[in-house]
Amino acid sequence: MLQVENIHVSYGRVEALHGVSLDVRQGEIVTILGANGAGKSTTLNAICGIFKTTEGAIRFEKEDIHTLAAHAIVARGVAQVPEGRRVFGTLTVRENLNLGAYTCNDKARVADNRQRVYTLFPRLAERVDQLAGTLSGGEQQMLAIGRALMGNPKILLLDEPSLGLAPLLVKAIFETIREINRSGLTVVLVEQNARAALKLAHRGYVMEVGRIVLEDTADRLLADPEVQKAYLGGAR
Amino acid sequence: MDFFLQQLTNGLAVGSIYALIALGYTMVYGVLKLINFAHGDLFAIGAYLGLTLLTAFGLTRFLGPLGVVIVLALMVMGLVAVVGAVLERVAYRPLRQAHRLSAVVSAMGASIFFQNALMLIYGARYKVYPHDILPKNVVSLLGVEVPLVRLLVLLTSVLMMVALYLFIQKTRIGTAIRAAAIDQRAAKLMGINVDRVIMIVFLIGPALGGAAGLMVGLYYGQINFTMGWMYGLKAFTAAILGGIGNIPGAMVGGLLLGVIEAMGAAYLSIAWKDAITFIVLIAILIVRPTGLLGERVAEKV
Ligand SMILES: Nc1ncnc2c1ncn2[C@@H]1O[C@H](COP(=O)(O)OP(=O)(O)OP(=O)(O)O)[C@@H](O)[C@H]1O
Ligand SMILES: [Mg+2]
């Protein structure tokens, strides 16, 4: 469904990705693990057209998207929940959700999606008129995910959704991701919380300084001694 | 009381013109974090285009005074909007990825260009609007005779501001403009074409500025190629006063500055009229740099 082929991305003169390739199939949860600065967020933003690739190609549903502007990529069904949530703080919850449906012209469909988001996160339904900036961190994360779902995406890219959340909430968010995936949505999950991510995902990639160094099924990555040492805090 | 009401209505009328111009500064600042120094000159272009259209087509022969003003306003707004959009395309878009200062220099260059273009085309002397267009009536307000034109200026500006406010608050595009002003990257991730949003802002701001230029021409009767500088500075002060980037702030700031200026000129000294603006600007920068309405809700990270 999504093929990333040997992409290079630079910030000014510094190259951050030196040829990253990924393959995501329909219906999967794929996780990308890696230390800080490995290039995980850069990869997601390259997929979404926020950063342009200098080399390589990105294909979504067999079409090149690395040549498109970010808004056009979103319109094709690629949604991202960015690192740090980036909800629109001075807009209300309702307005944030409406913006998530910006590319969707079908009113009935938007109403459906809204209902779905409220079912997933009843907390948001209670706070529709509250400014997003005044929500708690966990509520903001729910809003960020809900907002991404409003546009009816075909693939959802999540960048560290558990960042800064209490363990119980992390569990709830991960459960929600599983639920969303079961309903048919393909998911790419970037996480620091490697163990939880691998338990949730079907397959995983490990990144180190701008490259993919390992790729396997989630079970095998969980059992891999190298991965355990580097990302899972030793064997258990 | 009579004197006070005269000053108040005059201050509000002039202030509403400042507010219209200030909206252009504040909206552009909102989405680009750039002070469009050429905005005052777009306002001046509006004043001159109004004069040209008025005299060239002899509109007064076909239409009544109200019709003339409406047709004129629409034409001026449309044309100045196009100039604004071209300005964005030529002077700002190529510098989108460059250092902030480059765009500021480009803005100043555009301002100098517009000012000199106006001088070359229309000459350096004051130009006079035909003064038989608008009614000379006065209306009685709380027992005070106030020129009708003054009230019309105020009313028109307020109507435009209300329309803009509703557009920004209630429509899909308006929400997209607000989103792009808060976080461009997140706006792109919502599927918003941020380049188009910026273009729309560069149509609306100059259209309002052009309308303001036309109003000054009609209200005061004479215009000059440097008028963009003084009005621009005052409107900029109004935008800072209300909180730059904040749309209702620009409206409030403009009206307030107009009233402060009128009162200062009336009760202190007319010579102080322009200095008052600078005093307000300095005071607000010292006491409350975020402006009156500029306080944003803290965003949790
Ligand atoms: N806007 C930027 N300008 C310059 N360099 C950047 C920029 N964003 C990221 N980088 C650099 O690119 C590299 C990859 O960063 P990226 O944000 O993709 O890492 P990450 O894997 O998401 O890390 P983290 O887990 O900390 O979020 C880092 O070396 C980083 O310093
Ligand atoms: Mg990151």
Side-chain angles (χ1 to χ4, degrees):
Chain A
M1 175 178 220
L2 176 73
Q3 281 93 34
V4 176
E5 283 170 15
N6 190 37
I7 58 165
H8 293 242
V9 172
S10 299
Y11 293 109
R13 275 193 217 126
V14 186
E15 193 174 81
L17 300 186
H18 323 286
V20 168
S21 301
L22 301 167
D23 191 3
V24 181
R25 285 166 230 145
Q26 171 93 47
E28 273 189 320
I29 301 181
V30 168
T31 184
I32 304 176
L33 307 176
N36 293 120
K40 307 179 296 292
S41 301
T42 306
T43 304
L44 293 194
N45 281 315
I47 295 171
C48 294
I50 298 289
F51 301 137
K52 286 295 152 198
T53 53
T54 51
E55 243 183 273
I58 304 172
R59 265 183 279 284
F60 181 63
E61 297 186 313
K62 303 203 166 59
E63 278 183 82
D64 279 348
I65 56 168
H66 59 281
T67 48
L68 300 178
H71 63 92
I73 296 174
V74 176
R76 285 176 187 232
V78 181
Q80 189 193 151
V81 178
E83 189 171 12
R85 302 159 199 138
R86 299 184 96 131
V87 295
F88 299 104
T90 48
L91 304 188
T92 63
V93 168
R94 189 198 314 271
E95 286 170 328
N96 268 274
L97 291 176
N98 287 345
L99 281 164
Y102 188 79
T103 54
C104 196
N105 291 321
D106 181 346
K107 278 223 171 94
R109 156 83 36 96
V110 173
D112 268 6
N113 289 345
R114 190 188 308 278
Q115 223 35 62
R116 199 171 129 214
V117 169
Y118 288 158
T119 316
L120 223 43
F121 305 112
R123 203 86 81 84
L124 295 181
E126 295 160 18
R127 289 173 160 69
V128 283
D129 291 316
Q130 193 172 327
L131 293 186
T134 65
L135 294 174
S136 79
E139 289 162 353
Q140 288 191 11
Q141 189 65 61
M142 296 174 197
L143 178 57
I145 298 175
R147 184 179 68 173
L149 293 175
M150 285 294 292
N152 223 43
K154 295 173 183 158
I155 188 166
L156 182 65
L157 316 177
L158 295 142
D159 198 345
E160 305 203 24
S162 72
L163 193 74
L165 302 187
L168 215 61
L169 204 52
V170 173
K171 229 174 143 196
I173 294 277
F174 273 50
E175 214 31 67
T176 310
I177 296 170
R178 193 194 302 278
E179 229 173 280
I180 295 168
N181 172 254
R182 287 226 177 98
S183 73
L185 188 61
T186 310
V187 173
V188 176
L189 173 66
V190 164
E191 258 299 333
Q192 293 289 346
N193 200 335
R195 189 181 303 277
L198 285 172
K199 281 187 181 153
L200 181 67
H202 303 107
R203 289 189 308 117
Y205 290 84
V206 178
M207 282 189 84
E208 264 169 35
V209 284
R211 287 194 174 79
I212 302 281
V213 292
L214 211 57
E215 156 188 9
D216 215 329
T217 64
D219 295 339
R220 271 193 291 227
L221 285 176
L222 263 175
D224 187 310
E226 288 296 312
V227 174
Q228 290 186 345
K229 201 161 102 223
Y231 302 104
L232 303 175
R236 216 174 48 172
Chain B
M1 188 63 194
D2 182 60
F3 185 65
F4 175 81
L5 264 185
Q6 290 292 353
Q7 294 312 316
L8 182 68
T9 50
N10 187 41
L12 284 173
V14 176
S16 71
I17 291 174
Y18 293 160
L20 282 184
I21 312 170
L23 283 165
Y25 282 108
T26 230
M27 287 178 73
V28 166
Y29 183 85
V31 293
L32 281 186
K33 305 293 173 271
L34 164 81
I35 305 295
N36 176 14
F37 284 105
H39 187 61
D41 303 289
L42 293 173
F43 152 86
I45 290 173
Y48 276 95
L49 279 177
L51 180 61
T52 300
L53 293 170
L54 192 59
T55 45
F57 295 131
L59 286 174
T60 29
R61 266 182 289 142
F62 310 112
L63 303 159
L66 189 65
V68 170
V69 173
I70 289 173
V71 169
L72 202 57
L74 291 177
M75 287 164 82
V76 167
M77 288 173 80
L79 287 172
V80 180
V82 170
V83 176
V86 170
L87 169 71
E88 191 271 329
R89 210 46 188 262
V90 173
Y92 300 141
R93 191 175 293 191
L95 295 172
R96 199 71 62 70
Q97 311 302 330
H99 193 271
R100 277 260 279 285
L101 215 50
S102 315
V104 171
V105 173
S106 187
M108 289 175 163
S111 170
I112 295 169
F113 170 80
F114 283 138
Q115 230 182 74
N116 283 282
L118 280 181
M119 189 190 69
L120 286 173
I121 297 169
Y122 291 98
R125 295 226 222 128
Y126 275 89
K127 287 270 174 187
V128 180
Y129 262 63
H131 39 250
D132 52 355
I133 314 158
L134 291 178
K136 294 274 177 298
N137 310 17
V138 289
V139 275
S140 181
L141 198 74
L142 300 174
V144 181
E145 309 248 290
V146 179
L148 177 63
V149 179
R150 192 182 286 173
L151 296 181
L152 286 179
V153 165
L154 182 58
L155 187 71
T156 315
S157 314
V158 169
L159 278 180
M160 283 189 201
M161 288 191 260
V162 169
L164 177 73
Y165 185 77
L166 291 177
F167 172 74
I168 293 288
Q169 289 296 325
K170 303 287 178 206
T171 66
R172 202 171 91 99
I173 310 243
T175 313
I177 291 175
R178 284 185 292 152
I182 298 170
D183 184 342
Q184 279 203 18
R185 184 187 297 179
K188 285 182 189 169
L189 290 177
M190 300 299 105
I192 294 167
N193 184 343
V194 172
D195 277 342
R196 185 179 305 155
V197 165
I198 291 169
M199 184 60 84
I200 291 170
V201 164
F202 269 95
L203 287 168
I204 297 175
L208 296 177
L214 175 65
M215 280 194 224
V216 166
L218 291 170
Y219 188 50
Y220 289 112
Q222 56 174 6
I223 57 178
N224 180 273
F225 75 101
T226 59
M227 68 195 282
W229 163 243
M230 201 29 110
Y231 275 89
L233 200 61
K234 289 186 175 171
F236 174 66
T237 303
I240 299 277
L241 180 60
I244 186 102
N246 185 309
I247 289 175
M251 303 177 184
V252 173
L255 291 171
L256 200 60
L257 185 67
V259 171
I260 292 174
E261 211 183 71
M263 293 301 167
Y267 292 103
L268 296 174
S269 151
I270 185 84
W272 279 79
K273 182 166 169 280
D274 293 336
I276 287 167
T277 306
F278 299 107
I279 295 170
V280 168
L281 179 59
I282 293 166
I284 197 82
L285 286 176
I286 292 172
V287 180
R288 203 180 154 86
T290 54
L292 296 176
L293 305 183
E295 200 140 56
R296 299 207 145 178
V297 182
E299 276 167 61
K300 287 185 186 140
V301 185

